[in-house]
Amino acid sequence: MLQRHIKSFLITILFAMALLPSLTHIYRTQAQDTTADEALIKRGEYLTNIAACLACHTPYKAEYNVPPDQWTPEQLQTIGLHADDALDHDRRFAGGRPFDLGPGGVVVSANITSDEATGLGSWTDAEIEAALRIGVSKDGTRLHGIMPYRNYYTMAQDDIQAIIAYLRTLPAIENKVERTWAPGEGAVPELLPEGELLQSVPTESVKLGEYLVNTIMSCGDCHTPVDPVTFAPVMDKWLAGGQPYEGPWGIVYAANITPHETTGIGKWTPAQIEAVFRSGVRLDGRRLVLMPWQDYVTISAEDLAASIDYLKNGLAAVDNEIPAPAIEDLFLQTVEVPEVAAQTIATDNTPLIVGGIAAVAIVLLLGGVMMMRRQKPATAK
Ligand code: HEC
Ligand code: HEC
Protein backbone atom coordinates (compact mmCIF):
# COMPACT_ATOMS: atom_id res chain seq x y z
CA MET A 1 0.00 0.00 0.00
CA LEU A 2 2.61 2.48 1.15
CA GLN A 3 4.98 1.18 -1.51
CA ARG A 4 2.32 1.80 -4.13
CA HIS A 5 1.90 5.36 -2.98
CA ILE A 6 5.63 5.93 -3.09
CA LYS A 7 5.74 4.42 -6.56
CA SER A 8 2.97 6.64 -7.93
CA PHE A 9 4.56 9.61 -6.26
CA LEU A 10 7.87 8.83 -7.94
CA ILE A 11 6.14 8.41 -11.30
CA THR A 12 4.51 11.80 -10.82
CA ILE A 13 7.87 13.41 -10.07
CA LEU A 14 9.46 11.79 -13.14
CA PHE A 15 6.53 12.88 -15.23
CA ALA A 16 6.86 16.40 -13.91
CA MET A 17 10.58 16.47 -14.62
CA ALA A 18 10.05 15.27 -18.17
CA LEU A 19 7.28 17.74 -18.87
CA LEU A 20 8.61 20.88 -17.25
CA PRO A 21 11.24 21.84 -19.84
CA SER A 22 8.98 21.27 -22.82
CA LEU A 23 6.13 23.20 -21.28
CA THR A 24 8.29 26.19 -20.39
CA HIS A 25 9.72 25.97 -23.89
CA ILE A 26 6.29 26.08 -25.52
CA TYR A 27 5.32 29.01 -23.33
CA ARG A 28 8.54 30.85 -24.07
CA THR A 29 8.50 30.53 -27.85
CA GLN A 30 4.89 31.72 -27.97
CA ALA A 31 5.62 34.52 -25.56
CA GLN A 32 8.67 35.57 -27.55
CA ASP A 33 6.65 36.09 -30.73
CA THR A 34 3.84 38.05 -29.13
CA THR A 35 6.02 40.12 -26.85
CA ALA A 36 8.86 41.04 -29.23
CA ASP A 37 7.17 44.37 -29.99
CA GLU A 38 6.17 44.85 -26.38
CA ALA A 39 9.76 44.28 -25.28
CA LEU A 40 10.98 46.87 -27.78
CA ILE A 41 8.39 49.39 -26.58
CA LYS A 42 9.25 48.66 -22.96
CA ARG A 43 12.93 49.21 -23.66
CA GLY A 44 12.00 52.48 -25.35
CA GLU A 45 10.01 53.61 -22.34
CA TYR A 46 12.91 52.73 -20.02
CA LEU A 47 15.34 54.70 -22.18
CA THR A 48 13.12 57.79 -22.36
CA ASN A 49 13.18 57.84 -18.55
CA ILE A 50 16.91 57.46 -17.91
CA ALA A 51 17.87 59.55 -20.96
CA ALA A 52 15.63 62.31 -19.53
CA CYS A 53 13.57 62.72 -22.72
CA LEU A 54 10.58 62.54 -20.36
CA ALA A 55 11.92 65.18 -17.96
CA CYS A 56 13.00 67.65 -20.65
CA HIS A 57 9.97 67.20 -22.90
CA THR A 58 7.23 67.38 -20.23
CA PRO A 59 5.87 70.84 -19.38
CA TYR A 60 5.64 72.26 -15.87
CA LYS A 61 2.37 72.09 -13.95
CA ALA A 62 0.11 75.08 -14.64
CA GLU A 63 0.98 76.85 -11.37
CA TYR A 64 4.58 77.22 -12.59
CA ASN A 65 3.46 79.17 -15.67
CA VAL A 66 4.32 82.54 -14.11
CA PRO A 67 7.66 84.36 -14.33
CA PRO A 68 10.15 82.49 -12.09
CA ASP A 69 10.54 85.57 -9.84
CA GLN A 70 6.92 84.96 -8.79
CA TRP A 71 7.46 81.34 -7.77
CA THR A 72 6.77 80.62 -4.09
CA PRO A 73 9.64 79.41 -1.87
CA GLU A 74 8.14 75.89 -2.04
CA GLN A 75 8.12 76.01 -5.83
CA LEU A 76 11.72 77.21 -5.92
CA GLN A 77 12.71 74.42 -3.55
CA THR A 78 11.01 71.83 -5.79
CA ILE A 79 12.83 73.12 -8.89
CA GLY A 80 16.18 73.05 -7.10
CA LEU A 81 15.94 69.73 -5.26
CA HIS A 82 13.47 67.46 -7.09
CA ALA A 83 12.45 69.17 -10.31
CA ASP A 84 10.44 66.23 -11.66
CA ASP A 85 7.76 66.94 -9.05
CA ALA A 86 7.09 70.26 -10.82
CA LEU A 87 6.22 68.49 -14.09
CA ASP A 88 2.68 67.95 -15.37
CA HIS A 89 2.63 64.16 -15.69
CA ASP A 90 -0.80 64.30 -17.38
CA ARG A 91 0.92 65.98 -20.31
CA ARG A 92 3.96 63.77 -20.61
CA PHE A 93 6.13 64.53 -23.66
CA ALA A 94 3.86 67.42 -24.78
CA GLY A 95 6.84 69.82 -24.74
CA GLY A 96 7.00 73.44 -23.65
CA ARG A 97 9.30 73.05 -20.63
CA PRO A 98 11.41 76.22 -20.57
CA PHE A 99 15.17 76.19 -20.01
CA ASP A 100 16.55 79.51 -18.82
CA LEU A 101 20.09 79.69 -20.15
CA GLY A 102 20.83 83.16 -18.71
CA PRO A 103 22.51 85.27 -21.40
CA GLY A 104 21.66 82.46 -23.89
CA GLY A 105 17.94 83.26 -23.48
CA VAL A 106 15.09 80.84 -22.81
CA VAL A 107 14.85 77.66 -24.90
CA VAL A 108 11.66 75.58 -24.93
CA SER A 109 11.43 71.81 -25.52
CA ALA A 110 9.45 70.32 -28.44
CA ASN A 111 6.20 68.33 -28.42
CA ILE A 112 7.26 64.73 -29.12
CA THR A 113 3.85 63.03 -28.66
CA SER A 114 2.20 61.44 -31.71
CA ASP A 115 0.05 64.51 -32.48
CA GLU A 116 -0.03 64.94 -36.29
CA ALA A 117 0.09 68.72 -36.46
CA THR A 118 2.08 69.76 -33.36
CA GLY A 119 4.05 66.60 -32.43
CA LEU A 120 5.91 63.80 -34.24
CA GLY A 121 2.77 62.13 -35.69
CA SER A 122 3.66 62.97 -39.30
CA TRP A 123 7.42 62.33 -38.95
CA THR A 124 9.05 59.26 -40.54
CA ASP A 125 11.36 57.02 -38.51
CA ALA A 126 14.32 58.41 -40.46
CA GLU A 127 13.32 61.98 -39.57
CA ILE A 128 13.12 61.15 -35.86
CA GLU A 129 16.46 59.36 -36.05
CA ALA A 130 18.03 62.43 -37.70
CA ALA A 131 16.71 64.69 -34.92
CA LEU A 132 18.13 62.33 -32.29
CA ARG A 133 21.52 61.72 -33.88
CA ILE A 134 22.43 64.93 -35.71
CA GLY A 135 19.99 67.49 -34.31
CA VAL A 136 18.02 68.46 -37.39
CA SER A 137 14.30 69.10 -37.26
CA LYS A 138 11.85 67.90 -39.93
CA ASP A 139 12.06 71.31 -41.65
CA GLY A 140 15.86 71.01 -41.92
CA THR A 141 16.68 73.58 -39.23
CA ARG A 142 19.30 72.90 -36.58
CA LEU A 143 18.08 72.05 -33.05
CA HIS A 144 19.42 73.91 -30.03
CA GLY A 145 22.41 72.14 -28.44
CA ILE A 146 20.58 71.64 -25.13
CA MET A 147 18.88 68.73 -26.92
CA PRO A 148 21.68 66.17 -26.35
CA TYR A 149 21.94 64.91 -29.92
CA ARG A 150 25.75 65.05 -29.75
CA ASN A 151 25.56 62.26 -27.16
CA TYR A 152 22.80 60.37 -28.96
CA TYR A 153 24.89 60.27 -32.13
CA THR A 154 26.57 57.13 -30.76
CA MET A 155 23.35 55.47 -29.64
CA ALA A 156 22.92 51.82 -30.70
CA GLN A 157 20.58 51.29 -33.64
CA ASP A 158 18.50 48.91 -31.48
CA ASP A 159 17.94 51.64 -28.89
CA ILE A 160 17.00 54.24 -31.52
CA GLN A 161 14.39 51.77 -32.83
CA ALA A 162 13.12 51.14 -29.29
CA ILE A 163 12.72 54.86 -28.56
CA ILE A 164 10.89 55.47 -31.85
CA ALA A 165 8.62 52.44 -31.23
CA TYR A 166 7.75 53.80 -27.79
CA LEU A 167 7.20 57.40 -28.96
CA ARG A 168 4.71 56.06 -31.53
CA THR A 169 2.56 54.65 -28.70
CA LEU A 170 2.23 58.00 -26.91
CA PRO A 171 -1.26 59.49 -26.95
CA ALA A 172 -1.43 62.58 -29.16
CA ILE A 173 -1.45 65.82 -27.18
CA GLU A 174 -2.05 68.97 -29.16
CA ASN A 175 0.44 71.60 -28.04
CA LYS A 176 2.02 74.00 -30.47
CA VAL A 177 5.46 74.99 -29.21
CA GLU A 178 6.95 78.06 -30.83
CA ARG A 179 10.70 78.45 -30.90
CA THR A 180 11.79 81.52 -28.96
CA TRP A 181 15.33 81.54 -30.41
CA ALA A 182 16.92 81.55 -33.84
CA PRO A 183 17.72 78.02 -35.02
CA GLY A 184 21.43 77.26 -34.97
CA GLU A 185 23.62 77.85 -37.98
CA GLY A 186 26.52 75.95 -39.53
CA ALA A 187 26.78 72.85 -41.66
CA VAL A 188 24.56 69.98 -40.57
CA PRO A 189 26.61 66.78 -40.22
CA GLU A 190 25.75 63.74 -42.30
CA LEU A 191 24.44 60.54 -40.72
CA LEU A 192 26.93 57.69 -41.01
CA PRO A 193 25.77 54.83 -43.23
CA GLU A 194 23.85 52.23 -41.25
CA GLY A 195 26.52 49.55 -40.95
CA GLU A 196 28.98 51.96 -39.35
CA LEU A 197 26.76 52.83 -36.41
CA LEU A 198 26.69 50.70 -33.27
CA GLN A 199 24.01 48.05 -33.81
CA SER A 200 23.36 46.75 -30.31
CA VAL A 201 24.07 47.76 -26.75
CA PRO A 202 27.55 46.74 -25.46
CA THR A 203 27.54 43.77 -23.11
CA GLU A 204 30.91 44.03 -21.35
CA SER A 205 30.36 45.85 -18.03
CA VAL A 206 32.73 48.86 -18.33
CA LYS A 207 31.77 49.38 -22.00
CA LEU A 208 28.08 49.19 -21.12
CA GLY A 209 28.62 51.68 -18.29
CA GLU A 210 30.47 54.05 -20.60
CA TYR A 211 27.61 53.82 -23.10
CA LEU A 212 25.00 54.52 -20.43
CA VAL A 213 26.85 57.39 -18.74
CA ASN A 214 28.01 59.19 -21.90
CA THR A 215 25.55 58.29 -24.66
CA ILE A 216 22.28 57.66 -22.83
CA MET A 217 22.33 59.63 -19.55
CA SER A 218 24.37 62.69 -20.65
CA CYS A 219 26.18 63.03 -17.29
CA GLY A 220 28.95 64.91 -19.11
CA ASP A 221 26.61 67.73 -20.19
CA CYS A 222 26.88 69.04 -16.62
CA HIS A 223 29.94 67.24 -15.25
CA THR A 224 32.46 67.93 -18.05
CA PRO A 225 33.86 71.50 -18.06
CA VAL A 226 33.51 73.44 -21.33
CA ASP A 227 35.87 75.81 -23.10
CA PRO A 228 34.64 79.34 -22.23
CA VAL A 229 35.03 80.53 -25.83
CA THR A 230 33.96 77.59 -28.00
CA PHE A 231 31.71 75.85 -25.38
CA ALA A 232 33.26 72.57 -26.52
CA PRO A 233 33.80 69.99 -23.74
CA VAL A 234 37.37 69.91 -22.39
CA MET A 235 38.28 66.34 -23.32
CA ASP A 236 41.16 65.85 -20.88
CA LYS A 237 38.80 66.86 -18.03
CA TRP A 238 36.06 64.39 -18.95
CA LEU A 239 33.52 64.28 -16.04
CA ALA A 240 35.95 66.25 -13.84
CA GLY A 241 33.32 68.89 -12.91
CA GLY A 242 33.77 72.42 -11.67
CA GLN A 243 31.19 74.45 -13.65
CA PRO A 244 29.28 76.89 -11.42
CA TYR A 245 25.46 76.88 -11.42
CA GLU A 246 23.97 80.03 -9.89
CA GLY A 247 20.35 80.58 -8.99
CA PRO A 248 17.95 81.11 -6.11
CA TRP A 249 19.77 78.26 -4.31
CA GLY A 250 23.03 80.24 -4.24
CA ILE A 251 25.91 78.65 -6.11
CA VAL A 252 26.74 74.98 -6.60
CA TYR A 253 29.46 73.38 -8.70
CA ALA A 254 29.15 70.21 -10.76
CA ALA A 255 31.08 67.52 -8.91
CA ASN A 256 34.26 65.80 -10.05
CA ILE A 257 32.93 62.27 -10.69
CA THR A 258 36.20 60.79 -11.96
CA PRO A 259 37.84 58.15 -9.70
CA HIS A 260 40.40 60.64 -8.31
CA GLU A 261 41.02 59.67 -4.66
CA THR A 262 40.86 63.13 -3.09
CA THR A 263 39.09 65.46 -5.54
CA GLY A 264 36.77 62.92 -7.21
CA ILE A 265 34.67 59.94 -6.10
CA GLY A 266 37.58 57.43 -5.98
CA LYS A 267 36.95 56.61 -2.31
CA TRP A 268 33.17 56.31 -2.61
CA THR A 269 31.71 52.81 -2.24
CA PRO A 270 29.30 51.55 -4.92
CA ALA A 271 26.47 51.89 -2.36
CA GLN A 272 27.32 55.57 -1.84
CA ILE A 273 27.22 56.18 -5.59
CA GLU A 274 23.94 54.25 -5.77
CA ALA A 275 22.46 56.61 -3.16
CA VAL A 276 23.10 59.52 -5.56
CA PHE A 277 21.16 57.76 -8.33
CA ARG A 278 18.33 56.60 -6.08
CA SER A 279 17.88 59.56 -3.74
CA GLY A 280 20.15 62.42 -4.84
CA VAL A 281 22.05 62.49 -1.58
CA ARG A 282 25.70 63.27 -0.83
CA LEU A 283 27.91 61.44 1.66
CA ASP A 284 27.06 64.01 4.36
CA GLY A 285 23.31 63.48 3.89
CA ARG A 286 22.71 66.76 2.03
CA ARG A 287 20.31 66.56 -0.89
CA LEU A 288 22.12 67.58 -4.07
CA VAL A 289 20.98 70.76 -5.82
CA LEU A 290 20.19 70.63 -9.58
CA MET A 291 21.51 67.08 -9.89
CA PRO A 292 18.62 65.42 -11.82
CA TRP A 293 18.66 62.18 -9.79
CA GLN A 294 14.94 61.58 -10.32
CA ASP A 295 15.61 60.93 -14.00
CA TYR A 296 17.91 58.03 -13.05
CA VAL A 297 15.83 56.52 -10.24
CA THR A 298 14.35 53.79 -12.46
CA ILE A 299 17.74 52.54 -13.74
CA SER A 300 17.95 48.74 -13.60
CA ALA A 301 20.29 47.05 -11.13
CA GLU A 302 22.55 45.78 -13.96
CA ASP A 303 22.75 49.13 -15.69
CA LEU A 304 23.52 50.85 -12.41
CA ALA A 305 26.28 48.35 -11.59
CA ALA A 306 27.80 48.84 -15.07
CA SER A 307 27.64 52.65 -14.75
CA ILE A 308 29.40 52.49 -11.39
CA ASP A 309 31.95 50.08 -12.86
CA TYR A 310 32.73 52.61 -15.60
CA LEU A 311 32.93 55.56 -13.16
CA LYS A 312 35.28 53.65 -10.86
CA ASN A 313 37.33 51.53 -13.30
CA GLY A 314 36.88 52.82 -16.84
CA LEU A 315 37.57 56.48 -16.48
CA ALA A 316 40.81 58.49 -16.09
CA ALA A 317 41.19 60.02 -12.61
CA VAL A 318 41.45 63.81 -13.02
CA ASP A 319 42.88 65.95 -10.21
CA ASN A 320 40.37 68.81 -10.14
CA GLU A 321 39.48 70.39 -6.80
CA ILE A 322 35.86 71.62 -6.74
CA PRO A 323 35.12 74.86 -4.83
CA ALA A 324 32.78 74.60 -1.83
CA PRO A 325 29.17 75.53 -2.69
CA ALA A 326 27.30 78.41 -1.03
CA ILE A 327 23.72 77.25 -0.53
CA GLU A 328 20.74 79.23 0.80
CA ASP A 329 19.00 77.72 3.87
CA LEU A 330 15.85 76.96 1.90
CA PHE A 331 17.83 74.50 -0.22
CA LEU A 332 19.69 72.78 2.60
CA GLN A 333 17.81 69.53 2.98
CA THR A 334 18.98 66.49 4.88
CA VAL A 335 17.89 63.12 3.56
CA GLU A 336 17.53 59.85 5.41
CA VAL A 337 19.57 57.36 3.38
CA PRO A 338 18.51 55.37 1.45
CA GLU A 339 15.15 57.00 0.99
CA VAL A 340 14.41 55.46 -2.39
CA ALA A 341 16.83 52.53 -2.44
CA ALA A 342 13.92 50.13 -2.73
CA GLN A 343 13.04 51.51 -6.15
CA THR A 344 15.64 49.32 -7.83
CA ILE A 345 13.96 47.86 -10.85
CA ALA A 346 15.45 44.49 -11.66
CA THR A 347 15.50 42.91 -15.11
CA ASP A 348 12.14 41.67 -16.15
CA ASN A 349 11.96 37.88 -15.84
CA THR A 350 8.18 37.78 -15.71
CA PRO A 351 7.52 35.64 -18.81
CA LEU A 352 9.99 33.00 -17.62
CA ILE A 353 8.61 32.94 -14.09
CA VAL A 354 4.99 32.91 -15.26
CA GLY A 355 5.89 30.12 -17.72
CA GLY A 356 7.58 28.16 -14.94
CA ILE A 357 4.65 28.57 -12.56
CA ALA A 358 2.12 27.64 -15.24
CA ALA A 359 4.12 24.53 -16.15
CA VAL A 360 4.46 23.46 -12.51
CA ALA A 361 0.73 24.01 -11.95
CA ILE A 362 -0.21 21.90 -14.98
CA VAL A 363 2.20 19.15 -13.94
CA LEU A 364 0.84 19.13 -10.39
CA LEU A 365 -2.68 18.91 -11.76
CA LEU A 366 -1.82 16.04 -14.10
CA GLY A 367 0.18 14.39 -11.36
CA GLY A 368 -2.74 14.71 -8.97
CA VAL A 369 -5.12 13.13 -11.48
CA MET A 370 -2.65 10.26 -12.00
CA MET A 371 -2.27 9.75 -8.28
CA MET A 372 -6.03 9.58 -7.84
CA ARG A 373 -6.36 7.14 -10.71
CA ARG A 374 -3.67 4.94 -9.30
CA GLN A 375 -5.17 5.11 -5.87
CA LYS A 376 -8.60 3.95 -7.02
CA PRO A 377 -7.80 0.31 -7.71
CA ALA A 378 -5.87 0.24 -4.47
CA THR A 379 -8.83 1.40 -2.39
CA ALA A 380 -11.22 -0.78 -4.38
CA LYS A 381 -9.25 -3.82 -3.34
C1 HEC B 1 18.27 68.40 -21.68
C2 HEC B 1 16.94 68.43 -22.24
C3 HEC B 1 16.57 67.46 -23.34
C4 HEC B 1 16.74 66.09 -23.35
C5 HEC B 1 17.41 65.21 -22.30
C6 HEC B 1 16.13 65.62 -24.57
N1 HEC B 1 15.64 66.66 -25.30
FE1 HEC B 1 14.76 66.55 -27.15
N2 HEC B 1 14.75 68.56 -27.25
C7 HEC B 1 15.04 69.44 -26.22
C8 HEC B 1 14.80 70.80 -26.65
C9 HEC B 1 14.99 72.06 -25.82
C10 HEC B 1 14.36 70.71 -28.01
C11 HEC B 1 14.00 71.87 -28.93
C12 HEC B 1 15.25 72.32 -29.65
C13 HEC B 1 14.97 73.26 -30.76
O1 HEC B 1 13.80 73.42 -31.14
O2 HEC B 1 15.92 73.87 -31.29
C14 HEC B 1 14.34 69.29 -28.34
C15 HEC B 1 13.99 68.78 -29.59
C16 HEC B 1 13.73 67.44 -29.85
C17 HEC B 1 13.21 66.92 -31.11
C18 HEC B 1 12.90 67.72 -32.35
C19 HEC B 1 11.45 68.10 -32.38
C20 HEC B 1 11.10 69.16 -33.37
O3 HEC B 1 9.89 69.48 -33.47
O4 HEC B 1 11.99 69.73 -34.03
C21 HEC B 1 13.04 65.56 -30.93
C22 HEC B 1 12.49 64.57 -31.94
C23 HEC B 1 13.47 65.25 -29.59
N3 HEC B 1 13.90 66.41 -28.97
C24 HEC B 1 13.42 63.99 -29.02
C25 HEC B 1 14.08 63.66 -27.83
C26 HEC B 1 14.24 62.31 -27.33
C27 HEC B 1 13.61 61.07 -27.95
C28 HEC B 1 15.01 62.39 -26.21
C29 HEC B 1 15.55 61.26 -25.36
C30 HEC B 1 16.28 60.20 -26.03
C31 HEC B 1 15.29 63.79 -25.99
N4 HEC B 1 14.71 64.53 -26.98
C32 HEC B 1 16.04 64.28 -24.93
C33 HEC B 1 15.52 69.10 -24.97
C34 HEC B 1 15.89 67.81 -24.58
C1 HEC C 1 21.68 68.91 -15.07
C2 HEC C 1 23.08 68.77 -14.67
C3 HEC C 1 23.55 67.42 -14.16
C4 HEC C 1 23.48 66.19 -14.78
C5 HEC C 1 22.87 65.87 -16.14
C6 HEC C 1 24.12 65.24 -13.90
N1 HEC C 1 24.57 65.87 -12.77
FE1 HEC C 1 25.52 65.01 -11.20
N2 HEC C 1 25.56 66.78 -10.21
C7 HEC C 1 25.18 68.00 -10.75
C8 HEC C 1 25.45 69.06 -9.78
C9 HEC C 1 25.17 70.55 -9.98
C10 HEC C 1 26.03 68.45 -8.65
C11 HEC C 1 26.47 69.10 -7.36
C12 HEC C 1 25.25 69.54 -6.57
C13 HEC C 1 25.50 70.00 -5.16
O1 HEC C 1 26.66 70.13 -4.75
O2 HEC C 1 24.50 70.22 -4.46
C14 HEC C 1 26.07 67.01 -8.96
C15 HEC C 1 26.55 66.05 -8.09
C16 HEC C 1 26.78 64.72 -8.42
C17 HEC C 1 27.39 63.74 -7.55
C18 HEC C 1 27.83 63.97 -6.10
C19 HEC C 1 29.32 64.07 -6.03
C20 HEC C 1 29.83 64.78 -4.82
O3 HEC C 1 31.07 64.92 -4.73
O4 HEC C 1 29.05 65.22 -3.95
C21 HEC C 1 27.48 62.56 -8.27
C22 HEC C 1 28.06 61.24 -7.80
C23 HEC C 1 26.92 62.81 -9.58
N3 HEC C 1 26.49 64.13 -9.63
C24 HEC C 1 26.86 61.88 -10.58
C25 HEC C 1 26.19 62.08 -11.79
C26 HEC C 1 26.00 61.06 -12.78
C27 HEC C 1 26.58 59.65 -12.69
C28 HEC C 1 25.23 61.60 -13.77
C29 HEC C 1 24.66 60.91 -14.98
C30 HEC C 1 23.97 59.65 -14.71
C31 HEC C 1 24.97 62.98 -13.41
N4 HEC C 1 25.58 63.22 -12.21
C32 HEC C 1 24.24 63.89 -14.18
C33 HEC C 1 24.60 68.20 -11.98
C34 HEC C 1 24.26 67.21 -12.90
Side-chain angles (χ1 to χ4, degrees):
M1 178 74 181
L2 188 68
Q3 255 182 345
R4 246 215 182 118
H5 272 233
I6 290 173
K7 211 165 136 196
S8 52
F9 182 71
L10 281 178
I11 290 174
T12 310
I13 294 286
L14 281 175
F15 189 70
M17 280 166 65
L19 217 65
L20 193 73
S22 55
L23 273 175
T24 23
H25 180 74
I26 291 168
Y27 180 87
R28 283 178 69 186
T29 28
Q30 278 178 351
Q32 264 160 18
D33 294 343
T34 48
T35 59
D37 287 350
E38 279 168 38
L40 191 71
I41 290 168
K42 226 173 157 198
R43 170 81 184 161
E45 180 176 17
Y46 172 72
L47 289 167
T48 57
N49 270 283
I50 63 168
C53 325
L54 175 64
C56 281
H57 284 274
T58 296
Y60 285 135
K61 289 174 181 160
E63 60 263 35
Y64 286 83
N65 290 338
V66 291
D69 59 11
Q70 290 170 27
W71 283 346
T72 64
E74 289 74 26
Q75 284 179 314
L76 288 172
Q77 210 183 33
T78 301
I79 295 289
L81 298 175
H82 34 90
D84 275 36
D85 297 358
L87 301 179
D88 182 354
H89 282 268
D90 293 332
R91 290 166 62 77
R92 292 154 68 90
F93 300 102
R97 177 174 174 174
F99 295 90
D100 189 344
L101 305 178
V106 177
V107 176
V108 182
S109 65
N111 179 350
I112 59 169
T113 72
S114 53
D115 189 60
E116 287 276 327
T118 65
L120 303 182
S122 66
W123 292 42
T124 64
D125 287 3
E127 284 167 343
I128 300 179
E129 178 171 357
L132 290 180
R133 288 199 193 276
I134 55 178
V136 269
S137 187
K138 190 179 165 74
D139 64 5
T141 54
R142 190 63 165 280
L143 299 175
H144 193 281
I146 191 169
M147 162 70 193
Y149 59 85
R150 291 183 184 85
N151 305 331
Y152 301 157
Y153 188 77
T154 47
M155 207 186 279
Q157 203 67 35
D158 292 351
D159 279 351
I160 293 273
Q161 293 314 316
I163 288 175
I164 294 174
Y166 173 64
L167 292 178
R168 300 271 185 225
T169 70
L170 293 175
I173 300 178
E174 193 189 330
N175 186 32
K176 181 135 188 70
V177 179
E178 300 283 0
R179 273 186 173 148
T180 52
W181 61 100
E185 285 177 14
V188 172
E190 289 284 315
L191 255 175
L192 276 179
E194 195 146 314
E196 291 176 41
L197 292 163
L198 187 66
Q199 181 60 43
S200 45
V201 178
T203 47
E204 191 271 318
S205 175
V206 168
K207 282 263 172 283
L208 172 61
E210 180 179 16
Y211 174 76
L212 290 161
V213 166
N214 295 330
T215 299
I216 299 292
M217 298 190 290
S218 298
C219 310
D221 283 10
C222 296
H223 284 279
T224 299
V226 292
D227 183 291
V229 180
T230 63
F231 296 108
V234 182
M235 297 312 280
D236 58 3
K237 286 197 174 169
W238 194 255
L239 298 177
Q243 307 89 282
Y245 292 95
E246 258 188 283
W249 49 83
I251 184 161
V252 292
Y253 299 87
N256 179 348
I257 57 170
T258 73
H260 193 270
E261 289 275 315
T262 51
T263 65
I265 56 172
K267 287 203 175 115
W268 291 40
T269 65
Q272 287 168 332
I273 302 177
E274 172 164 8
V276 170
F277 277 81
R278 303 283 184 209
S279 27
V281 60
R282 295 177 80 232
L283 298 187
D284 60 4
R286 173 172 72 77
R287 164 100 1 108
L288 292 159
V289 180
L290 281 200
M291 164 71 199
W293 56 278
Q294 286 172 306
D295 302 344
Y296 311 127
V297 139
T298 53
I299 192 169
S300 72
E302 285 107 317
D303 283 355
L304 179 59
S307 303
I308 294 173
D309 198 3
Y310 166 66
L311 291 173
K312 289 192 79 75
N313 307 311
L315 189 59
V318 181
D319 184 356
N320 190 30
E321 183 80 40
I322 304 303
I327 301 173
E328 299 291 330
D329 285 352
L330 183 63
F331 297 85
L332 286 173
Q333 197 176 75
T334 309
V335 184
E336 294 293 327
V337 191
E339 194 185 52
V340 241
Q343 296 214 20
T344 310
I345 296 192
T347 356
D348 189 11
N349 282 324
T350 327
L352 240 169
I353 295 167
V354 170
I357 292 174
V360 168
I362 291 170
V363 160
L364 285 182
L365 205 81
L366 286 176
V369 171
M370 270 181 60
M371 283 261 245
M372 272 155 66
R373 276 214 180 143
R374 295 196 153 251
Q375 267 175 11
K376 259 188 194 147
T379 38
K381 241 183 199 171

